[in-house]
Amino acid sequence: QVQLVESGGGLVQPGGSLRLSCAASGSLFSFYVIGWYRQAPGKQRELVANTNGATTNYADSLKGRFTISRDNAKKAVYLQMNNLKPEDTAVYYCNGKGWDSIDYWGQGTQVTVSS
């Protein structure tokens, strides 16, 4: 069973940038799609972005500010977040959808955008 571990969260001022990393314990090809979700306090978890290696998919509201990328050799997925806003404050989760129909989740990393 592949494990996912996020890192890179923290406190950033509005307009700042952060890069989140998700390290997989096994091959990224264990998943037919891998990406990021987020959950803000009192809100449902929502898709941020994901990729199947050939194409990427973003939440409409985040296009142009967030970029997902992957490094198959390093077994890692990244989320570059630019021009961060207070409403981006949330716990960000790495998610992999396995060929075994199982959803794999990391433990989450907190991102707080505040002055």
Side-chain angles (χ1 to χ4, degrees), residues 1-112:
Q1 193 172 16
V2 180
Q3 294 183 327
L4 302 172
V5 179
E6 304 96 334
S7 61
L11 174 64
V12 62
Q13 292 187 341
S17 297
L18 278 177
R19 187 193 193 209
L20 304 184
S21 298
C22 171
S25 61
S27 170
L28 294 186
F29 297 108
S30 300
F31 311 106
Y32 65 87
V33 65
I34 189 165
W36 295 90
Y37 284 72
R38 69 182 184 183
Q39 188 166 20
K43 294 188 177 181
Q44 289 189 331
R45 194 171 294 190
E46 62 177 359
L47 174 70
V48 174
N50 59 26
T51 177
N52 62 6
T55 60
T56 57
N57 178 44
Y58 293 93
D60 287 341
S61 61
L62 301 177
K63 288 180 181 178
R65 294 196 297 122
F66 289 18
T67 303
I68 189 171
S69 61
R70 60 189 281 168
D71 187 326
N72 295 327
K74 294 183 177 179
K75 298 181 289 185
V77 180
Y78 307 100
L79 185 69
Q80 178 67 42
M81 306 185 293
N82 298 327
N83 190 22
L84 283 162
K85 304 176 181 181
E87 52 264 41
D88 295 318
T89 295
V91 178
Y92 284 71
Y93 296 92
C94 186
N95 168 262
K97 301 190 184 301
W99 296 101
D100 54 4
S101 301
I102 295 176
D103 256 335
Y104 293 86
W105 294 94
Q107 82 286 352
T109 185
Q110 176 72 46
V111 172
T112 302

